[in-house]
Amino acid sequence: MVNQSSPMGFLLLGFSEHPGLEKILFVVVLISYLLTLGGNTLIILLSLLDPRLHSPMYFFLRNLAFLDLCFTTSFIPQMLVNLWGPEKTISFLGCSVQLFIFLSLGTTECILLAVMAFDRYVAVCQPLHYATIVHPRLCWQLASVAWVMGLVQSIVQTPPILRLPFCSHHQIDDFLCEVPSLIRLSCGDTTYNEIQLSVSTVVFVVVPLSLIFVSYGAIAWAVLRINSAVAWRKALRTCSSHLLVVTLFYSSVIAVYLQPKNPYAQERGKFCGLFYAVGTPSLNPLIYTLRNKEVRRALRRLLGKDAENSEN
């Protein structure tokens, strides 16, 4: 059945109820997008060009950087247009593509962060067997699982959302086309879609987050048994960047997808969604470069500076 909304498209309300805020958000989003493009491209280039970064950790980091580039490019140009001018429409096809990519890459990132936690667990708890356990073939397999699962999730969930009978005003109270906002726009029965959203949230958000907790719980237990300050510092250096990225990502995801149904929570969720979609992809490369000596040294080598100079 063809959705009657397809000829008209939708109106993305975004932050139009705060017209003074839109110009400020335009500048913030533009700067964040430029940081995302520059920072993640730099990480991809460094991990490809520097032989010392040809390890599983940087293989997964390269996947994360590429994912963030695709993720933000799928909706930020449209968001910038909407924030700058009075035109806030998006075609039905554009909304469909945006929804499909957003679902697919968001799911992939949840799984990829869990895979990276497993990599950190092996690095800390099984350092002597790390190269044997996390071998290149396994890295490709785990990354492929993350990307394929994201694609499958989007293929399963996108069509039922787009087949919903949407209200005639076609106003999406959000800055992009995503599942919760499109469910709220529907004037029909959304029970199946809400159940589907709840199940997918458990499978692709709660389960990966639980696996991350298990990995870091095992890391903490292993370090506590050693009872060494040196071991603590080494574990902290190994895991701190990933743990900070996980905290920023999942706190914003939970605020968006596990919020109560009331107007205040919906408005707060819009800002949390903005941080999730725009903020975390721009912060990830900063976290991994500023807190990682190997990446900083690789950058120095790329710029032709002495790689062996001591860093403070």
Side-chain angles (χ1 to χ4, degrees):
M1 182 180 68
V2 178
N3 195 301
Q4 293 180 353
S5 302
S6 56
M8 298 183 60
F10 301 98
L11 182 67
L12 292 170
L13 297 180
F15 301 93
S16 56
E17 69 273 20
H18 307 291
L21 183 62
E22 285 191 314
K23 295 298 183 286
I24 298 174
L25 287 176
F26 175 87
V27 176
V28 172
V29 171
L30 178 60
I31 293 174
S32 297
Y33 185 47
L34 294 176
L35 287 174
T36 300
L37 293 178
N40 286 293
T41 301
L42 180 63
I43 286 178
I44 292 172
L45 290 176
L46 287 176
S47 64
L48 286 173
L49 298 177
D50 196 307
R52 301 186 192 185
L53 299 186
H54 292 176
S55 67
M57 173 182 172
Y58 295 104
F59 171 80
F60 293 127
L61 181 57
R62 185 164 65 245
N63 274 265
L64 181 64
F66 178 70
L67 185 150
D68 283 340
L69 284 176
C70 298
F71 182 74
T72 52
T73 302
S74 70
F75 67 89
I76 284 186
Q78 173 77 45
M79 184 192 299
L80 290 173
V81 171
N82 293 349
L83 287 172
W84 184 253
E87 182 67 29
K88 302 184 185 303
T89 58
I90 183 172
S91 66
F92 181 81
L93 177 60
C95 185
S96 303
V97 172
Q98 194 177 84
L99 174 65
F100 186 89
I101 296 175
F102 194 84
L103 265 176
S104 177
L105 297 185
T107 301
T108 300
E109 184 159 2
C110 289
I111 300 173
L112 190 59
L113 289 174
V115 169
M116 295 172 75
F118 165 74
D119 172 69
R120 295 300 82 205
Y121 159 75
V122 178
V124 174
C125 299
Q126 302 286 338
L128 299 179
H129 303 285
Y130 178 71
T132 305
I133 297 173
V134 192
H135 50 81
R137 183 179 177 185
L138 179 65
C139 292
W140 279 100
Q141 290 172 340
L142 291 174
S144 299
V145 167
W147 287 95
V148 170
M149 290 298 290
L151 183 62
V152 170
Q153 153 70 350
S154 191
I155 291 173
V156 170
Q157 194 164 4
T158 300
I161 292 294
L162 297 177
R163 285 197 296 265
L164 284 172
F166 298 115
C167 297
S168 58
H169 57 75
H170 295 176
Q171 295 179 353
I172 300 176
D173 190 16
D174 211 332
F175 54 87
L176 53 77
C177 295
E178 61 170 341
V179 174
S181 55
L182 288 171
I183 288 178
R184 289 194 297 268
L185 179 62
S186 175
C187 290
D189 183 13
T190 60
T191 303
Y192 171 77
N193 304 92
E194 291 175 358
I195 293 174
Q196 191 180 46
L197 176 60
S198 299
V199 171
S200 63
T201 300
V202 171
V203 173
F204 296 113
V205 177
V206 177
V207 171
L209 183 58
S210 301
L211 294 176
I212 292 172
F213 281 144
V214 170
S215 296
Y216 279 106
I219 290 172
W221 177 249
V223 175
L224 283 172
R225 286 193 302 171
I226 299 174
N227 195 22
S228 165
V230 175
W232 269 107
R233 286 195 295 270
K234 184 177 180 181
L236 188 62
R237 284 198 306 270
T238 303
C239 304
S240 58
S241 295
H242 177 258
L243 194 56
L244 183 55
V245 167
V246 166
T247 301
L248 292 174
F249 177 80
Y250 273 100
S251 59
S252 55
V253 168
I254 290 171
V256 173
Y257 288 97
L258 299 180
Q259 60 177 311
K261 292 183 178 180
N262 60 69
Y264 171 74
Q266 183 176 329
E267 185 68 17
R268 183 187 60 188
K270 197 185 297 184
F271 285 94
C272 291
L274 182 66
F275 180 76
Y276 156 62
V278 178
T280 53
S282 64
L283 291 175
N284 288 352
L286 294 177
I287 292 170
Y288 277 108
T289 53
L290 295 178
R291 299 181 61 87
N292 191 307
K293 284 188 177 182
E294 291 182 0
V295 174
R296 295 202 303 270
R297 287 169 179 166
L299 179 58
R300 291 169 65 87
R301 288 192 292 271
L302 185 66
L303 297 176
K305 297 182 179 180
D306 183 9
E308 302 304 324
N309 286 343
S310 61
E311 293 181 332
N312 295 328

